[in-house]
Amino acid sequence: VLGDTRLDQLHGLDDRVVRYTVEDRSRDNTDNLVNAVEHIYRSVSQDQSKKIVLIDEAWHLLNDPQGRKAVGKLVREGRDVNACIELVTQNASDFTRSQDGRDILKNLNSYMFFKHQDVATGVSEFFNLSQKEAVELRQLPTGTDLPYSEAIIRGPVNTKLRINALPSEQAILNAGGGR
């Protein structure tokens, strides 16, 4: 436990997966999240084995100067220790609204965009999205109505990606909000 941030070894995966989660999501946990990212940085820096670090709901960290600093260090130095850093947030503007956030993006190799209701001008400009692409982002299919979602990939290869749901995932989507 890091503050109120819980560390779980996910069993069944040969203890290769470590998950940090916030115990009480109803309060501000930014300091705990920053501490967790700093701990992750120290852990992944210990060896050259390949690893993936995924930070979901990254907006919590991107809205805080210390959070941006910790994420920026992890991103900048992660490649050197074979760490693939994946940052997930619903709004690309969480990155583009600050210089630190834009600097983090400049150190990432590629970007994946799922359906986005509103594409801010600053986002379109930063990612060099055409008007057509901005409209396409608002119309991308999601797994809510179909057995797949689509995303636009920007990076070394610019393409559209289709993500098919597993039957068990589709059953959860079809069942609705209770699960």
Side-chain angles (χ1 to χ4, degrees), residues 92 112-119 123-124 127 129-142 150-154:
M112 185 182 309
F113 298 95
F114 287 90
K115 185 175 183 175
H116 211 302
Q117 291 299 331
D118 183 32
V119 181
V123 171
S124 291
F127 293 103
L129 297 175
S130 68
Q131 182 69 23
K132 178 184 173 198
E133 290 170 317
V135 169
E136 188 176 13
L137 281 176
R138 290 190 283 275
Q139 298 171 347
L140 288 171
T142 65
E150 288 184 351
I152 295 174
I153 305 288
R154 295 298 295 267

